[in-house]
């Protein structure tokens, strides 16, 4: 009888234990699934923003430097709350904070898309007016003494009906605010999510879960590039206008895709990912076997201990502040850390600036559409970067490199990437033949400057608007700014298939064939430039692989050259510096220099400068790659200085890392990559 009672007691004791274990498993799985979805949504939003920058620039009629400011607003938002999240996050309800962050991130993405619904219909030409789901009124001007009234201004009837609003307005500020909100919302996901996972994962399983988390997170960039490609093929006002009336194609420099659709999708996914976090507890009880046995204290003792702890906390505030200042002073007076900080800042600035404008470069330099560019970078970036990261980590493990060896690996991979980068200069295409910009209007002579090119005798009597951009292509490969400036007298066909005839400027130049007709749209790139494009793809794969090969070793240098107790501070300060001095200014000064290579700006109804229609290809390429070179070269010099300093410090010491140390380094390395989400996305270009 007694034996039966003992058996029943054991059974009843085991049942609550099993329930707790089941509850822990369910809660942990729910958290892991929600965190995986939040990783996907934040990566999706990031890729969509990068791939949509050119579309946003055209839609809002703004310069590249302004677009750079919009892009940098993500980092500004991140910096506004990073201190609060880092200090208070662990003390508060972490799942709810992550849920709030995901919700704010979703709101930011939706706010980014909202201006589309308040701006009216996109007007890609001064001569085009679009009414809802009706035929557009098109007044392409030809050479005539009596110009169409549509050339000189906006039809008062159309404006009165409210069908058209000016694209070049300050509505882009809402995009900036939305991107800033996205940065604020994304801040708690990484540090709080990873720390919560690490705290409540089974012993020794956290690295496995982290690996799965990052593997699942790769769905985000893949989805981002795919959706970016799909939506950029759709016209911006799809569903609101009759698409058969649109006469421009996705390869036209005025084309704007449905950029806003991607942000609506990303916003909805972010908001959905936030929901499970609000139903998770502040802490998950681990299975009983994994917990240390604890004996409940009497209530009076517990209250007394809490009072003592509060008093001690107050007394320790001053000590903590002083300790922080001393620790910060310690790492900033460490020459190895400071050199590593500067060289990574220079390198990352180059990567961020390059990745921000590489989509525009491919579109302008090689004549690719935004859709084709998205697919291209989606296919070459993600697998190449992942392979490089894996290979770099394998090399460090396999050869058990010393700290000096790790620094040398970083130097060699950076030098190799730099050498491949120099090949880009040889792949720059020649300027397009554009009458009035690179050639005289009759197409016979090159121009020394594109500014205020004089009219030719073939179009001087046409009363053309020189600010108009309605490019047409002749069989001789020359692009003319408009049918009027080409001296065309008549036209046939409609919309995309329109052909203009009796073009006097073409007739003068092409006297052999006597074909004096032009087709609507810019002339495509020649065969030589197309061949360069295929080589460019191969070079980018080599650059991405070489750069990513040294990513692990670069991050290890940040925290292995400081005292063990300073690792967290060293990584945090590094992340803060990169965001402040790299993530914010780099897109702005890259954009400002790119703006200087523009040959033809759009002019809005207010007479203000809008977005660039066509760039000087040679100058654009030299500026874009030249600025990257100016940043990469000093970083290589600093690598040499770092290796020399490390040899002096570690001379005669055996710095071979054991397998356990390497494993610890790699696990610790996940934190800086997580801490600087933007660098993780961008340092592979």
């Amino acid at each position: 009888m007694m034996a039966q009672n003992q058996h029943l007691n054991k059974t009843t004791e085991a049942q609550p234990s099993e329930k707790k274990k089941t509850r822990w498993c369910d809660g942990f799985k729910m958290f892991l699934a929600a965190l995986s979805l939040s990783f996907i949504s934040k990566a999706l939003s990031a890729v969509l923003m990068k791939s949509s920058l050119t579309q946003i620039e055209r839609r809002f009629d703004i310069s590249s430097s302004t677009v750079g400011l919009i892009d940098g607003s993500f980092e500004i938002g991140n910096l506004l709350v990073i201190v609060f999240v880092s200090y208070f996050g662990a003390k508060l309800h972490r799942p709810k904070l992550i849920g709030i962050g995901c919700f704010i991130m979703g709101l930011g993405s939706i706010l980014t898309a909202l201006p589309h619904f308040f701006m009216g219909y996109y007007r890609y030409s001064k001569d085009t007016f679009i009414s809802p789901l009706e035929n557009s009124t098109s007044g392409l001007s030809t050479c005539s003494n009596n110009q169409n009234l549509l050339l000189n201004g906006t039809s008062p009837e159309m404006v009165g009906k409210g069908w058209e609003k000016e694209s070049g307005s300050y509505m882009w500020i809402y995009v900036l605010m939305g991107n800033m909100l996205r940065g604020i919302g994304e801040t708690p996901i990484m540090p709080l999510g990873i720390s919560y996972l690490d705290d409540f994962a089974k012993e020794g399983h956290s690295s496995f879960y982290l690996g799965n988390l990052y593997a699942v997170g790769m769905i985000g960039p893949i989805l981002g590039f795919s959706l970016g490609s799909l939506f950029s093929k759709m016209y911006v006002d799809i569903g609101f206008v009759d698409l058969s009336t649109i006469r421009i194609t996705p390869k036209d420099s005025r084309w704007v895709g449905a950029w806003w659709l991607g942000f609506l999708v990303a916003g909805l996914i972010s908001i959905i990912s936030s929901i499970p976090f609000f139903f998770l507890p502040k802490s998950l009880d681990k299975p009983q076997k994994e917990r240390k046995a604890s004996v409940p204290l009497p209530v009076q003792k517990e209250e007394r201990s809490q009072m003592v702890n509060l008093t001690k906390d107050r007394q320790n505030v001053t000590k903590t502040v002083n300790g922080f200042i001393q620790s910060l002073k310690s790492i900033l007076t460490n020459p190895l850390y400071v050199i590593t900080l500067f060289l990574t800042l220079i390198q990352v600035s180059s990567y961020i600036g390059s990745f921000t404008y590489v989509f525009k470069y491919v579109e302008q330099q090689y004549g690719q559409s935004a859709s084709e560019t998205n697919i291209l970078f989606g296919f070459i970036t993600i697998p190449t970067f992942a392979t490089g990261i894996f290979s770099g980590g394998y090399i460090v493990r396999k050869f058990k490199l010393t700290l000096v060896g790790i620094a040398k690996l970083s130097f060699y991979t950076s030098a190799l990437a730099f050498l491949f980068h120099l090949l880009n200069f040889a792949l720059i295409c020649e300027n397009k033949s554009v009458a009035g910009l690179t050639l005289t209007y009759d197409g016979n002579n090159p121009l020394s400057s594109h500014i205020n090119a004089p009219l030719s005798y073939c179009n001087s009597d046409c009363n053309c608007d020189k600010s108009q951009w309605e490019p047409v292509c002749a069989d001789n490969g020359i692009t003319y700014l408009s049918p009027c400036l080409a001296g065309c007298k008549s036209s046939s066909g409609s919309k995309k298939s329109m052909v203009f005839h009796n073009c006097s400027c073409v007739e003068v130049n092409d006297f052999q064939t006597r074909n004096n007709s032009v087709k609507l749209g810019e002339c495509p790139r020649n065969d030589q430039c197309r061949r360069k494009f295929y080589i460019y793809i191969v070079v980018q794969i080599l650059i991405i692989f070489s750069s990513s090969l040294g990513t692990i070793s670069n991050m290890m240098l940040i925290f292995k050259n400081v005292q063990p107790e300073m690792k967290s501070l060293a990584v945090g300060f590094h992340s803060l510096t990169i965001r402040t001095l790299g993530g914010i200014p780099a897109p702005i000064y890259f954009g400002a220099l790119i703006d200087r290579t523009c040959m033809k700006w759009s002019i809005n109804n207010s007479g203000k400068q809008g977005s660039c229609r066509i760039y000087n290809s040679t100058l654009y390429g030299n500026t874009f790659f030249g600025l990257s070179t100016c940043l990469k070269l000093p970083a290589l010099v600093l690598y040499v200085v770092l290796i020399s300093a490390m040899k002096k410090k570690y001379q005669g010491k055996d710095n071979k890392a054991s397998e356990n140390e390497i494993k610890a380094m790699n696990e610790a390395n996940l934190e800086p990559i997580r801490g600087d989400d933007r660098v993780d996305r961008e340092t592979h270009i």
Side-chain angles (χ1 to χ4, degrees):
M1 192 73 178
M2 288 180 65
Q4 286 180 352
N5 289 335
Q6 287 178 358
H7 177 71
L8 285 170
N9 288 335
K10 285 181 181 179
T11 306
T12 52
E13 285 175 7
Q15 284 177 351
S17 176
E18 288 297 324
K19 285 183 180 178
K20 285 184 180 180
K21 188 171 183 179
T22 304
R23 198 183 307 125
W24 171 83
C25 287
D26 292 342
F28 187 78
K29 287 177 182 177
M30 185 179 180
F31 175 79
L32 192 61
L35 192 63
S36 299
L37 188 58
S38 68
F39 267 53
I40 292 170
S41 64
K42 75 182 185 62
L44 169 63
S45 302
V47 170
L48 283 172
M49 175 55 72
K50 287 293 183 187
S51 61
S52 300
L53 287 177
T54 305
Q55 315 279 322
I56 291 170
E57 178 182 338
R58 295 171 184 170
R59 181 65 181 96
F60 294 94
D61 250 349
I62 52 179
S63 63
S64 296
S65 55
T66 306
V67 167
L69 178 62
I70 291 173
D71 188 55
S73 64
F74 175 87
E75 302 296 350
I76 296 172
N78 221 291
L79 291 172
L80 289 175
V81 295
I82 195 169
V83 175
F84 172 83
V85 169
S86 300
Y87 185 76
F88 294 104
K91 301 178 182 180
L92 301 175
H93 196 298
R94 283 179 288 182
K96 284 187 178 178
L97 275 180
I98 297 170
I100 292 169
C102 289
F103 187 78
I104 292 173
M105 186 169 67
L107 288 181
S109 294
I110 292 172
L111 178 61
T112 300
L114 274 185
H116 167 76
F117 300 98
F118 301 112
M119 290 184 66
Y121 303 110
Y122 175 54
R123 184 179 169 194
Y124 54 83
S125 172
K126 291 177 69 175
D127 304 341
T128 303
F129 305 95
I130 302 173
S131 58
L133 297 173
E134 296 175 13
N135 290 335
S136 66
T137 305
S138 173
L140 282 175
S141 56
T142 53
C143 181
S144 174
N145 290 329
N146 298 315
Q147 281 299 292
N148 194 314
L149 288 175
L150 289 170
L151 183 66
N152 299 321
T154 305
S155 168
E157 292 83 10
M158 299 298 288
V159 175
K161 290 183 181 180
W163 287 338
E164 290 295 328
K165 296 181 185 178
E166 187 59 54
S167 293
S169 65
Y170 290 101
M171 294 290 282
W172 60 266
I173 292 174
Y174 289 98
V175 180
L176 183 144
M177 291 171 62
N179 202 34
M180 190 182 295
L181 264 184
R182 198 170 61 81
I184 291 171
E186 194 171 315
T187 306
I189 295 175
M190 280 290 186
L192 301 188
I194 302 304
S195 63
Y196 192 87
L197 187 146
D198 188 56
D199 287 347
F200 299 108
K202 289 182 180 179
E203 200 70 33
H205 284 61
S206 59
S207 59
F208 170 74
Y209 290 127
L210 286 174
N212 288 340
L213 191 63
Y214 276 96
V216 173
M218 292 303 289
I219 295 172
I222 295 170
L223 196 60
F225 282 117
S226 301
L227 289 179
S229 174
L230 175 65
F231 294 145
S232 60
K233 284 191 289 189
M234 301 177 184
Y235 187 66
V236 61
D237 292 319
I238 186 171
F240 297 96
V241 299
D242 184 0
L243 298 181
S244 65
T245 64
I246 306 302
R247 65 169 182 262
I248 59 174
T249 65
K251 289 197 175 184
D252 195 292
S253 62
R254 296 164 295 172
W255 177 269
V256 176
W259 60 275
W260 50 276
L261 270 173
F263 290 104
L264 288 181
V265 172
L268 289 174
I269 293 175
S270 296
I271 290 172
I272 291 169
S273 72
S274 71
I275 296 172
F277 291 109
F278 293 104
F279 296 95
L280 287 166
K282 185 177 181 180
S283 62
L284 293 169
D285 290 329
K286 287 191 176 183
Q288 201 159 2
K289 289 181 181 179
E290 296 183 24
R291 285 185 298 160
K292 293 181 179 179
S294 58
V295 181
L297 293 171
V299 176
Q300 291 182 352
K301 277 189 177 182
E302 191 174 333
E303 290 178 353
R304 198 178 303 124
S305 66
Q306 286 177 358
M307 293 295 293
V308 171
N309 288 337
L310 280 173
T311 307
K312 285 183 179 180
D313 286 344
R314 289 167 186 165
Q315 291 174 349
N316 288 337
V317 169
T318 307
K319 290 182 180 179
T320 302
V321 173
N322 291 335
F324 173 77
I325 294 171
Q326 290 298 321
S327 299
L328 189 62
K329 184 180 177 182
S330 174
I331 63 171
L332 292 180
T333 53
N334 181 339
L336 298 182
Y337 177 79
V338 172
I339 294 170
T340 306
L341 181 67
F342 273 104
L343 73 87
T344 51
L345 172 62
I346 295 170
Q347 272 190 322
V348 169
S349 296
S350 170
Y351 296 145
I352 291 172
S354 298
F355 188 55
T356 301
Y357 296 103
V358 71
F359 296 92
K360 171 184 277 199
Y361 176 79
V362 172
E363 290 176 40
Q364 285 287 336
Q365 189 71 221
Y366 301 109
Q368 301 297 308
S369 67
S371 175
E372 292 167 339
T373 307
N374 272 282
I375 286 294
L376 166 68
F377 282 105
F379 273 113
I380 70 172
T381 298
I382 297 170
T384 307
F385 183 67
T387 305
I389 288 281
F390 175 80
S391 302
Y394 177 78
I395 290 171
V396 174
R397 283 175 181 271
K398 178 69 175 177
F399 297 100
K400 299 179 182 178
L401 298 177
T402 64
L403 288 179
V404 176
I406 290 170
K408 286 181 178 179
L409 176 63
S410 296
F411 170 71
Y412 292 142
T413 55
S414 298
L416 187 62
F418 179 74
L419 292 176
F420 288 134
H421 167 77
L422 294 178
L423 295 176
N424 285 318
F425 287 98
L427 301 175
I428 297 172
C429 294
E430 295 181 358
N431 278 330
K432 285 185 176 181
S433 298
V434 183
L437 294 179
T438 61
L439 298 172
T440 55
Y441 281 105
D442 59 16
N444 290 325
N445 301 302
L447 285 172
S448 57
S449 173
H450 63 273
I451 302 172
N452 295 324
L455 293 172
S456 175
Y457 57 87
C458 63
N459 59 10
S460 57
D461 296 330
C462 294
N463 296 326
C464 301
D465 181 4
K466 292 176 69 175
S467 67
Q468 188 184 24
W469 175 258
E470 194 67 57
V472 289
C473 176
D475 288 343
N476 54 22
I478 297 176
T479 299
Y480 295 84
L481 300 181
S482 69
C484 181
L485 288 169
C488 302
K489 307 295 190 303
S490 60
S491 64
S492 63
S494 61
K495 307 309 168 191
K496 296 173 186 176
S497 59
M498 193 177 290
V499 179
F500 298 87
H501 308 285
N502 301 321
C503 304
S504 54
C505 292
V506 179
E507 186 178 13
V508 170
N509 182 53
D510 199 13
F511 60 88
Q512 291 181 341
T513 62
R514 309 297 293 178
N515 184 0
N516 58 354
S517 298
V518 294
K519 296 177 182 178
L520 197 62
E522 290 182 57
C523 293
R525 284 292 193 175
N526 56 32
D527 292 338
Q528 183 183 6
C529 188
R530 280 195 287 269
R531 284 193 293 270
K532 285 184 177 181
F533 172 64
Y534 299 130
I535 301 172
Y536 171 82
I537 295 172
V538 176
V539 170
Q540 298 321 297
I541 292 172
L542 295 174
I543 292 172
I544 294 167
F545 180 77
S546 304
S547 301
S548 59
L549 200 61
T551 301
I552 295 293
S553 53
N554 284 341
M555 300 309 296
M556 288 171 69
L557 288 174
I558 295 165
F559 59 86
K560 290 304 292 182
N561 281 316
V562 296
Q563 296 160 340
E565 62 273 14
M566 302 289 181
K567 284 181 181 180
S568 297
L569 180 61
V571 171
F573 187 78
H574 175 268
S575 175
L576 185 67
T577 305
I578 295 296
R579 287 180 180 276
T580 308
L581 302 179
I584 298 172
I588 298 174
Y589 61 72
F590 263 81
L593 286 176
I594 288 171
D595 282 338
R596 297 175 69 88
T597 68
C598 182
M599 293 194 297
K600 181 73 175 177
W601 292 94
S602 66
I603 304 295
N604 57 35
N605 281 348
S606 305
K608 295 179 181 178
Q609 177 181 293
S611 58
C612 187
R613 296 305 190 201
I614 187 170
Y615 291 87
N616 182 318
S617 300
T618 307
L619 187 58
Y620 187 171
N622 288 330
T623 301
F624 185 59
F625 295 124
L627 183 54
S628 294
T629 303
C630 290
L631 292 171
K632 292 175 185 289
L633 193 58
L636 292 178
V637 175
L638 286 175
Y639 267 121
V640 176
V641 175
L642 176 66
I643 292 169
S644 177
M646 288 179 70
K647 281 182 176 179
K648 289 180 182 178
K649 181 176 180 179
Y650 299 119
Q651 193 172 13
K653 295 180 182 179
D654 182 17
N655 292 303
K656 283 238 174 176
S658 66
E659 290 184 10
N660 291 332
E661 285 177 327
I662 294 293
K663 184 178 180 181
M665 286 185 236
N666 286 339
E667 288 181 356
N669 178 52
L670 289 171
E671 183 60 33
I673 294 178
R674 289 190 303 271
D676 193 357
D677 166 68
R678 182 189 180 104
V679 175
D680 178 53
R681 288 194 307 268
E682 296 170 352
T683 54
H684 55 280
I685 295 294

